[in-house]
Amino acid sequence: MDYTTTSKTEWLEQEIDSLKVQGLYNTIRTIGSPMDGRIVVDGKNVLNFCANNYLGLANHPRLREAAKKAIDTYGIGPGAVRSIAGTMTLHNQLEERLAKFKGAEAVITLQSGFTANLATIPALVSKGDVIFSDQLNHASIIDGCRLSRAQIVAYEHNNMDDLRRQIANTTEYGRRLIVSDGVFSMDGDIALLPELVEIANQHRILLMIDDAHGEGVLGKGGRGIVDHFGLHGQVDIEVGTMSKAFGVVGGIVAGKKVIIDWLRQRGRPFLFSSAMTVPDTAACLEAVDMLENSTELVDRLWANTRFMKQEMSKLGFDIGHSDTPIIPLMLGEEALAQKFSRTLFERSMFAMAIVYPTVAKGKARIRLMNTAAHSQNDLEQALETLQTVGRELGVL
Ligand SMILES: Cc1ncc(COP(=O)(O)O)c(C=O)c1O
């Protein structure tokens, strides 16, 4: 295309048309109710299996109340970036409470899990350094790695032999970082943390785990992947998010004091973008309070998950190898997965098709997100709908 003679946005129109032709155009649905086990999507009442609202906290009365009360005391916005005049008592309280909850030396909070990765990776490695990154890491890790300008060496997903090989072949760099998702969000499998710790310690390489889908889900009362494996103090950097199980929004970086201190000096989204708002921060504090005092929601999440996995297997579905509340209903063909999702929606069940390029070609699936917000009745209805649609489309 000759960009000097066409309109300034013609290339964009062509790109969008091309996405539509390939069936890759993302049509975004609108939610007209609070986030819950049952929601209103594009005006229709549906069972919701799309949200990362693992503990059902996104519309919990205690979080709503905490947010309202905080607004009455502190207003809404932080007013400036944290390093200038935007750090409020609430931000400090949340960081202290999260550090205690997670058994970490210190915590820094950011606006989101995405910005937590963008803040952390470029602050720790740069040009001349090397990052060993699991092939299936989340986009925010990939972007953080690219921003750092360090050499990126992708190792095969959860393949510790390949990681060892790559480390052995990569000797001429300065600082080194191993980075992995804690829970891989498209399959629900977990990083091999004990082996990662062993390799990182053996080679004196910094280890960073992004526990976005493990925060509030794994470990005692949802304390995360490090707690799940009993590896406190052995993972240098644990990134997390409060947008999933915590039901709110906000990023977490937990780790040694010296690392967190460094991020307050050099984490660019911390220094140059304003902090979490007052209601977000207060709601997250309430979530920590709830998780510290009871494992009830986490227990319910796992009971629901066990029931769904067991019943879906009994029905004859291929549900992959998830170790977490994420259930991938493996269908293979992209068109089948899209049709499955549309038919579920017609039958009042909201569950997204995940297709290429998010997963490999021929590995299309429906991703079912279990939560504590689902009642037994919701689960039974979901199973009945899945079975009907599965039979209708020749999957069962
Ligand atoms: C592994 C991982 N990291 C980071 C994020 C981003 O989290 P947030 O929505 O808080 O920006 C996600 C969300 O999908 C994720 O799965």
Side-chain angles (χ1 to χ4, degrees):
M1 177 182 277
D2 180 355
Y3 294 99
T4 59
T5 55
T6 54
S7 92
K8 285 192 248 179
T9 53
E10 194 172 323
W11 67 275
L12 280 173
E13 280 148 27
Q14 287 186 12
E15 290 284 350
I16 286 174
D17 285 346
S18 154
L19 288 180
K20 286 181 179 163
V21 169
Q22 295 174 71
L24 297 175
Y25 184 80
N26 195 0
T27 306
I28 297 166
R29 295 192 183 272
T30 306
I31 315 297
S33 63
M35 188 46 63
D36 229 320
R38 287 175 187 262
I39 55 174
V40 177
V41 181
D42 294 339
K44 186 177 167 107
N45 282 302
V46 292
L47 264 176
N48 179 21
F49 278 84
C50 282
N52 303 321
N53 179 27
Y54 288 112
L55 301 176
L57 292 178
N59 185 35
H60 196 284
R62 277 186 59 177
L63 271 69
R64 292 207 320 236
E65 202 45 47
K68 286 183 202 164
K69 255 175 98 175
I71 288 173
D72 289 341
T73 311
Y74 293 101
I76 297 171
V81 298
R82 292 213 24 208
S83 52
I84 294 178
T87 295
M88 296 178 133
T89 319
L90 282 176
H91 294 121
N92 292 337
Q93 279 172 4
L94 179 60
E95 286 167 350
E96 280 159 25
R97 293 291 300 276
L98 282 168
K100 190 164 157 261
F101 176 66
K102 295 184 67 63
E105 274 185 24
V107 159
I108 182 172
T109 56
L110 288 115
Q111 307 82 354
S112 70
F114 202 108
T115 54
N117 280 324
L118 297 193
T120 307
I121 301 170
L124 296 175
V125 284
S126 60
K127 214 165 176 196
D129 300 334
V130 64
I131 303 168
F132 302 98
S133 172
D134 188 290
Q135 213 173 33
L136 293 191
N137 276 345
H138 186 259
S140 55
I141 297 181
I142 296 171
D143 287 5
C145 291
R146 287 178 181 158
L147 264 179
S148 76
R149 295 180 303 143
Q151 176 75 28
I152 302 161
V153 176
Y155 62 89
E156 283 172 24
H157 172 53
N158 256 350
N159 182 337
M160 297 298 105
D161 288 337
D162 191 43
L163 173 59
R164 282 194 186 87
R165 245 188 325 271
Q166 302 289 357
I167 292 170
N169 290 341
T170 314
T171 51
E172 72 275 28
Y173 290 94
R175 284 169 297 199
R176 295 178 295 168
L177 174 72
I178 298 172
V179 59
S180 173
D181 273 24
V183 174
F184 292 87
S185 57
M186 295 303 144
D187 289 282
D189 55 334
I190 303 184
L192 306 173
L193 199 57
E195 286 91 333
L196 284 169
V197 165
E198 190 191 313
I199 295 170
N201 286 344
Q202 183 192 346
H203 295 275
R204 292 177 174 271
I205 303 178
L206 278 173
L207 176 62
M208 167 170 163
I209 299 294
D210 178 349
D211 199 28
H213 284 272
E215 208 72 77
V217 172
L218 294 175
K220 182 173 174 285
R223 282 161 175 78
I225 191 168
V226 170
D227 188 86
H228 172 79
F229 284 107
L231 289 167
H232 297 279
Q234 308 238 36
V235 174
D236 300 297
I237 308 117
E238 194 187 352
V239 165
T241 179
M242 293 175 281
S243 68
K244 301 187 194 297
F246 280 56
V248 192
V249 76
I252 303 171
V253 189
K256 292 198 178 71
K257 249 192 177 91
V258 64
I259 293 176
I260 303 308
D261 198 18
W262 180 242
L263 293 179
R264 290 188 204 283
Q265 308 305 313
R266 285 292 179 270
R268 290 172 70 83
F270 179 82
L271 295 172
F272 299 109
S273 179
S274 294
M276 290 170 68
T277 68
V278 167
D280 289 335
T281 315
C284 287
L285 263 167
E286 190 66 18
V288 178
D289 215 53
M290 288 178 68
L291 292 180
E292 267 181 348
N293 287 307
S294 163
T295 61
E296 187 196 334
L297 291 175
V298 181
D299 295 344
R300 195 186 309 157
L301 164 69
W302 281 99
N304 284 354
T305 301
R306 278 191 293 276
F307 176 74
M308 281 299 278
K309 283 183 177 172
Q310 178 191 303
E311 296 304 311
M312 286 182 72
S313 292
K314 268 197 218 157
L315 287 175
F317 285 116
D318 173 0
I319 57 165
H321 306 284
S322 168
D323 304 307
T324 60
I326 298 167
I327 303 185
L329 195 179
M330 307 303 284
L331 293 169
E333 290 290 310
E334 280 70 27
L336 175 61
Q338 304 277 20
K339 183 148 191 216
F340 205 105
S341 174
R342 275 198 308 274
T343 316
L344 287 176
F345 193 74
E346 281 160 20
R347 292 174 184 275
S348 302
M349 181 168 168
F350 187 34
M352 285 300 273
I354 309 281
V355 298
Y356 177 81
T358 309
V359 292
K361 274 199 175 124
K363 296 268 182 197
R365 65 201 63 181
I366 299 290
R367 189 176 66 156
L368 296 160
M369 305 300 289
N370 287 281
T371 74
H374 293 118
S375 65
Q376 184 64 22
N377 184 35
D378 293 340
L379 302 184
E380 280 166 16
Q381 191 184 325
L383 288 163
E384 204 179 302
T385 308
L386 287 163
Q387 185 180 32
T388 308
V389 175
R391 284 187 178 151
E392 204 173 298
L393 300 185
V395 174
L396 290 178

